[in-house]
Amino acid sequence: MTAVEAVRSGISKSAIMVQEYGMTIPSPSGKLLRPLTALSFVSADRQHLLDDRFWLGCLAIQMVHEASIYHDDVFDGGMQRRNTATLLATKGIGASVLVGDLYLTGAYRVASLTGYHDFLTAFIKAVETMVRGENIQDSITPSENLLTTYEQIVRMKSGQLFGIAAALPSWSGHSDLPSEQLLNIGINLGIFYQMVDDFLDYCPTGETGKPKLQDFNNRIWTFVLGSHGTEWFEQSADQALKAFFTSKNAPSLAEIALSKLQDRGSSLISQIQKAAAQPPMVEMIEEWLQRCAHASRPNRLATPKIYSKLSLAPKPERSLTAAQIGLRAQKLGDVSDWGVFFQRNSRSFSYASRLFPRPERSIITEIYLFCRFTDNLADKGAESIAHAYEILNVWDQIAYSAYQGNATGIPVADVVMGRMASMVIPYSLISELIEGMRMDVEPSRYSSMEELRLYTYRVASVVGDWITQAFGVRDSWVLERAHDLGHAMQLTNIVRDVGEDLSMGRLYLPADLMDEHQITLETLKDLKEKAFNHGFISPNYTELIEAIIAEANSAYDRAYEGIPFLPTRLRRAIAVAARVYRGIHDEIRSNQYNNLTSRAYTSSWKKTILARKGLTQLRQVSQNPKPSNTLNSAT
């Protein structure tokens, strides 16, 4: 019996055993590389001692791998795998996600049946690490060190299961080597395996059982691109393949990548031999290297005709975009976890929200979460401008469907939009919010404060409008004061984040004010460099920031006039939130107006002082409130 046959037999028997618990178990198909890794670190004289518990551990590992395949197909639009149509291609997104979830959740139960406590602990940590690796890959930015980030992601996503598999013999008592040593070897094996896969993705004649150029088509940076950044993806598939294999006066990308693989493979073989692994393990690595060398030979290069016949991965379609949004929404956790997300991501506003009664605090949390999720979709959910617009378009459709009472399966849409509809708050607010996010996809210069006001209305004022209506207030004058508060807070964000926005190619400072204070875009870049090196901020820039702060402070004062007309139970929290956020202006001044290389924030004890000032200001405006002629529901 070969090693692969032994693995298949052991997993099949354990699968039959756990199916009695009513679990959904994958059939042992594919190469079973991870269970084979586990068997390879069991010495030949001990393999006859392997019991059901060992094979249950192998099954749990394989189930996580199978789950990741189904989920990756949804992320990457994978319509073909192992030379056959995927479940995504034949039955759609829902089926692919569901089967992946069944395998993943079942894997934990199977792992617990082994009775190996150390294995179970490491197994749970490994799966969590894999998911975090996916999250990092999903949020990578062009400014990062791409090679370092790639190594980190591959270690987390691909290395973990191989590491757990390699260490399983130690935890199960079938190897005398320490688990830490085997775990490290296994992680290195997983990294190497992923690098081989990434290399063959660019080789038209390298058989992998998947369509070629999936990484290129999904704009995923891998080590094979060397010093090239994300600009690599702006060319066509034909151009990318030609650039990968050809170079006039230096080694090609393919040659450089193959050399790296050979060096890494040799080092890995040495580690494995020292650990006395069974021969099939070394043979497997040597076979991988041979495949890469064969696929990259000059006489194996694809001609232009082959380029045109390649089975390329499809571009993300609308249905896939919806699935990607759904998977991103899962990272928010259960509804019960949303409060923690709120506290972690909005310290000033969540601080003030403590003054809300519990039911109102829940509403505020939901609104914040929906807005933050929508913002993140535009900032981090797309690989291109076109895809960013597509994401927002699909999200608009999902949100509106939930608002209409349809279950979308995405809690942040179903729960928040369901409550919004039940309160008869117009969906037009969400349409404006999403339109504001579209303005951030290709940010343009704003010629004046009046022009900027449209942007602050859409991304912030409509949120104040939404919150105010959620508490039963529909008076137009009070809603205008809520608009003022949103405008003020967004201006505070703008003056706080000038440096961060510049690094992302964004600039929200009104052009007429910049001209008035003799500040240009080039001036800002020069000031940022000087601030970083010397802490220098010019008087002109200081005056510009003060001019915007003055506009924000005026809007804060107008907003305070409306707070006495809110329901009594809400006034204190809104007053504190406004004053705490306004306090960021003082921190900018304390930082000598260096908002180019540092970020202003208020400490906990300063928030307490600001909260008292906010309550004092509330008492002052409440003594002589400016009445509205149409107040009808501020009770």
Side-chain angles (χ1 to χ4, degrees):
M1 180 182 295
T2 66
V4 174
E5 290 172 341
V7 167
R8 200 176 304 280
S9 174
I11 288 182
S12 296
K13 291 178 181 178
S14 60
I16 293 172
M17 181 172 63
V18 299
Q19 281 174 338
E20 297 178 359
Y21 293 92
M23 299 168 59
T24 302
I25 304 297
S27 59
S29 58
K31 298 178 182 178
L32 303 175
L33 295 178
R34 292 145 193 86
L36 183 62
T37 297
L39 181 63
S40 295
F41 286 99
V42 177
S43 60
D45 61 336
R46 294 188 183 184
Q47 290 189 4
H48 71 284
L49 300 175
L50 296 177
D51 55 12
D52 291 338
R53 297 196 298 165
F54 175 86
W55 293 116
L56 283 170
C58 290
L59 176 61
I61 292 169
Q62 184 64 19
M63 288 176 69
V64 172
H65 170 61
E66 295 286 345
S68 70
I69 289 176
Y70 285 102
H71 289 163
D72 284 348
D73 284 343
V74 174
F75 270 114
D76 302 335
M79 298 297 178
Q80 180 181 335
R81 188 179 292 273
R82 296 168 183 166
N83 294 315
T84 59
T86 63
L87 186 63
L88 175 69
T90 58
K91 294 189 177 181
I93 295 168
S96 192
V97 172
L98 176 60
V99 172
D101 287 349
L102 286 172
Y103 289 167
L104 184 60
T105 54
Y108 287 108
R109 293 181 63 190
V110 174
S112 69
L113 293 174
T114 66
Y116 304 140
H117 179 269
D118 291 341
F119 165 72
L120 179 60
T121 301
F123 178 83
I124 294 172
K125 181 180 178 182
V127 176
E128 178 191 0
T129 301
M130 288 176 62
V131 176
R132 285 195 289 110
E134 185 71 53
N135 186 53
I136 292 173
Q137 186 176 54
D138 193 40
S139 59
I140 189 171
T141 63
S143 61
E144 295 183 47
N145 185 317
L146 294 176
L147 182 59
T148 300
T149 304
Y150 170 83
E151 291 269 1
Q152 178 188 10
I153 292 170
V154 172
R155 182 180 184 86
M156 297 173 75
K157 288 186 59 179
S158 305
Q160 292 302 307
L161 282 188
F162 276 98
I164 294 298
L168 177 58
S170 178
W171 288 316
S172 63
H174 296 106
S175 173
D176 295 329
L177 293 176
S179 59
E180 293 81 4
Q181 179 183 350
L182 294 179
L183 182 68
N184 185 61
I185 293 175
I187 289 174
N188 289 336
L189 175 64
I191 294 172
F192 180 71
Y193 170 75
Q194 185 61 54
M195 292 175 68
V196 168
D197 192 66
D198 293 341
F199 179 82
L200 293 177
D201 185 54
Y202 276 87
C203 298
T205 58
E207 179 56 40
T208 60
K210 298 182 294 185
K212 291 299 177 181
L213 293 186
Q214 281 192 320
D215 291 337
F216 174 82
N217 201 38
N218 290 312
R219 302 176 67 88
I220 297 175
W221 194 96
T222 63
F223 87 101
V224 301
L225 300 185
S227 61
H228 291 278
T230 54
E231 78 284 349
W232 172 267
F233 303 113
E234 302 307 321
Q235 59 189 324
S236 69
D238 288 0
Q239 292 171 331
L241 283 174
K242 291 175 184 176
F244 182 70
F245 283 107
T246 59
S247 179
K248 291 183 178 179
N249 301 315
S252 66
L253 289 175
E255 292 170 328
I256 295 172
L258 179 62
S259 177
K260 290 181 179 179
L261 283 174
Q262 290 170 334
D263 290 343
R264 197 148 192 161
S266 298
S267 175
L268 183 58
I269 288 174
S270 177
Q271 294 179 49
I272 289 173
Q273 289 175 332
K274 289 180 181 179
Q278 297 302 299
M281 179 61 62
V282 172
E283 294 170 2
M284 181 172 66
I285 296 172
E286 291 176 340
E287 191 270 333
W288 291 348
L289 287 172
Q290 290 172 3
R291 287 173 58 197
C292 292
H294 184 67
S296 64
R297 288 175 185 170
N299 63 348
R300 301 288 291 176
L301 298 187
T303 66
K305 291 183 179 180
I306 294 179
Y307 292 148
S308 64
K309 294 180 180 179
L310 282 176
S311 174
L312 301 180
K315 291 291 184 181
E317 299 177 357
R318 185 171 297 272
S319 59
L320 294 180
T321 300
Q324 291 167 352
I325 291 173
L327 290 174
R328 288 179 67 81
Q330 289 182 8
K331 297 173 184 178
L332 297 174
D334 297 330
V335 176
S336 59
D337 299 325
W338 290 357
V340 176
F341 182 93
F342 182 29
Q343 294 173 12
R344 186 171 61 245
N345 290 276
S346 180
R347 296 181 180 178
S348 296
F349 199 21
S350 64
Y351 173 86
S353 73
R354 300 172 188 174
L355 297 176
F356 284 116
R358 186 173 296 276
E360 284 76 8
R361 193 186 316 156
S362 176
I363 294 174
I364 292 292
T365 298
E366 291 174 7
I367 293 175
Y368 172 82
L369 194 83
F370 182 94
C371 296
R372 181 61 179 262
F373 180 72
T374 303
D375 186 25
N376 287 346
L377 283 178
D379 286 346
K380 300 177 182 178
E383 300 85 358
S384 67
I385 290 175
H387 194 205
Y389 284 126
E390 178 67 8
I391 285 175
L392 290 172
N393 291 341
V394 173
W395 177 234
D396 193 0
Q397 294 173 3
I398 291 172
Y400 186 66
S401 180
Y403 183 83
Q404 295 282 48
N406 301 309
T408 69
I410 301 178
V412 69
D414 293 340
V415 173
V416 183
M417 291 296 93
R419 190 193 291 271
M420 186 183 200
S422 69
M423 293 177 171
V424 199
I425 301 172
Y427 184 80
S428 59
L429 294 179
I430 303 303
S431 297
E432 289 286 356
L433 176 69
I434 293 177
E435 192 61 39
M437 301 310 167
R438 289 192 182 101
M439 294 173 74
D440 272 336
V441 173
E442 294 181 274
S444 58
R445 294 289 305 276
Y446 297 97
S447 62
S448 63
M449 184 63 70
E450 181 179 358
E451 191 173 298
L452 180 62
R453 186 67 187 86
L454 175 61
Y455 172 75
T456 64
Y457 170 76
R458 285 174 168 168
V459 300
S461 292
V462 295
V463 181
D465 194 322
W466 183 1
I467 292 173
T468 305
Q469 291 198 51
F471 297 132
V473 179
R474 306 300 170 98
D475 176 75
S476 59
W477 182 84
V478 179
L479 292 177
E480 287 174 4
R481 303 289 77 73
H483 295 171
D484 286 327
L485 183 55
H487 177 57
M489 287 182 160
Q490 190 61 33
L491 289 179
T492 299
N493 285 339
I494 287 171
V495 295
R496 180 193 62 192
D497 300 336
V498 174
E500 293 181 16
D501 288 333
L502 272 178
S503 65
M504 295 187 290
R506 296 174 176 175
L507 180 60
Y508 298 100
L509 306 179
D512 58 351
L513 284 179
M514 290 180 62
D515 291 341
E516 182 181 335
H517 293 89
Q518 300 179 336
I519 298 292
T520 65
L521 177 59
E522 292 304 316
T523 303
L524 286 175
K525 293 178 180 179
D526 183 58
L527 282 173
K528 185 174 182 179
E529 183 177 352
K530 290 180 178 178
F532 180 79
N533 293 321
H534 310 292
F536 173 78
I537 298 295
S538 72
N540 287 7
Y541 182 72
T542 297
E543 293 171 1
L544 170 62
I545 296 303
E546 276 294 347
I548 300 175
I549 287 177
E551 167 69 18
N553 286 340
S554 178
Y556 277 117
D557 290 339
R558 291 194 303 273
Y560 257 90
E561 294 174 1
I563 296 178
F565 299 99
L566 295 174
T568 304
R569 64 190 186 281
L570 306 178
R571 297 171 191 170
R572 287 163 52 85
I574 297 297
V576 168
R579 195 62 188 84
V580 168
Y581 221 76
R582 185 173 179 170
I584 293 174
H585 299 166
D586 297 330
E587 299 306 316
I588 292 173
R589 295 181 179 115
S590 296
N591 290 344
Q592 305 301 314
Y593 296 90
N594 181 12
N595 52 7
L596 296 168
T597 62
S598 63
R599 181 185 177 93
Y601 68 94
T602 52
S603 62
S604 297
W605 69 271
K606 286 185 178 179
K607 285 185 176 71
T608 302
I609 296 174
L610 291 168
R612 292 172 181 169
K613 291 182 178 179
L615 294 176
T616 298
Q617 187 174 357
L618 174 61
R619 286 194 295 270
Q620 292 171 347
V621 297
S622 298
Q623 291 172 359
N624 186 27
K626 296 183 179 181
S628 167
N629 295 327
T630 60
L631 287 173
N632 51 37
S633 58
T635 58

